[in-house]
Amino acid sequence: MNGLANNQLDILKEWWPDEQQRRFAYNAPGAFKRSGVLNVGDMTHAAMLKFGARAAAALHFEATKQIVPSRGGIWATWHTNERIIRGDFPSDFADMLPPHTTLGAGKKNTLDGQFDYSSRVTDDGLMSAHMMTFRLSFAVQAAVATDISNFREVESHKPHLIFRPGFLKRSA
């Protein structure tokens, strides 16, 4: 938390739930006793979407050995473990992917479950789909297309879920 306090104090402040939110979380059916509670606000949501898009671009490269072209795009969304607890996690996306792989660190893998991912590339190589989980804290679902027009419908309803190459160079 020190790193967050030093670099993203506004997000850290956003995370602190008020008393009503804490009571609700601790009394929710299926909630883990003695677990931490975070308030997810707009800044956290935007940062998680950006993180998901960046990770999806990396996994797309890993799977295809191709960068996302300038005419391409990335769709990303994320979910907290609350969706799993409530039983409404959208599993249809994950169901189309192969079993997960754990990101390794060198020859000895001690990261089991810290960063698991699964990817699938279309036969023509023009799209890829990715699911990433981070312990049981949150999950990212993302897709990459070499032609952003594949995301036209999503972009018309939820433009904040679509990223174009170069999005990390812009502020905001």
Side-chain angles (χ1 to χ4, degrees):
M1 291 291 187
N2 286 338
L4 196 58
N6 291 335
N7 298 299
Q8 297 290 329
L9 185 57
D10 289 341
I11 288 180
L12 184 61
K13 288 178 181 177
E14 180 181 80
W15 283 2
W16 297 118
D18 61 32
E19 185 58 35
Q20 181 181 1
Q21 290 168 321
R22 278 194 294 276
R23 274 197 309 273
F24 177 79
Y26 290 138
N27 294 319
F32 302 115
K33 300 303 176 205
R34 299 180 187 252
S35 61
V37 177
L38 295 176
N39 179 55
V40 174
D42 292 340
M43 289 183 290
T44 303
H45 184 63
M48 292 299 297
L49 291 174
K50 234 182 222 188
F51 169 78
R54 182 178 184 172
L59 290 175
H60 177 79
F61 181 80
E62 174 68 23
T64 66
K65 303 302 183 228
Q66 300 289 320
I67 62 169
V68 181
S70 60
R71 69 184 181 286
I74 304 164
W75 164 82
T77 191
W78 74 287
H79 310 278
T80 67
N81 58 4
E82 177 188 17
R83 303 251 355 233
I84 295 169
I85 292 168
R86 288 190 330 222
D88 68 349
F89 182 81
S91 62
D92 52 342
F93 186 90
D95 291 345
M96 70 175 189
L97 299 173
H100 73 267
T101 302
T102 297
L103 181 68
K107 292 181 181 179
K108 184 176 180 186
N109 185 356
T110 59
L111 302 175
D112 193 35
Q114 287 189 25
F115 180 88
D116 290 343
Y117 66 96
S118 181
S119 298
R120 173 158 284 157
V121 178
T122 58
D123 290 342
D124 60 10
L126 298 177
M127 291 188 80
S128 60
H130 312 278
M131 173 88 176
M132 300 155 260
T133 58
F134 304 84
R135 298 194 176 182
L136 284 178
S137 297
F138 65 93
V140 172
Q141 294 174 319
V144 177
T146 59
D147 183 347
I148 198 158
S149 68
N150 286 294
F151 300 131
R152 189 175 295 131
E153 185 176 339
V154 174
E155 190 171 30
S156 71
H157 294 94
K158 297 184 178 185
H160 63 285
L161 300 181
I162 304 299
F163 295 84
R164 287 174 162 67
F167 71 93
L168 292 172
K169 294 178 186 174
R170 291 187 281 282
S171 61

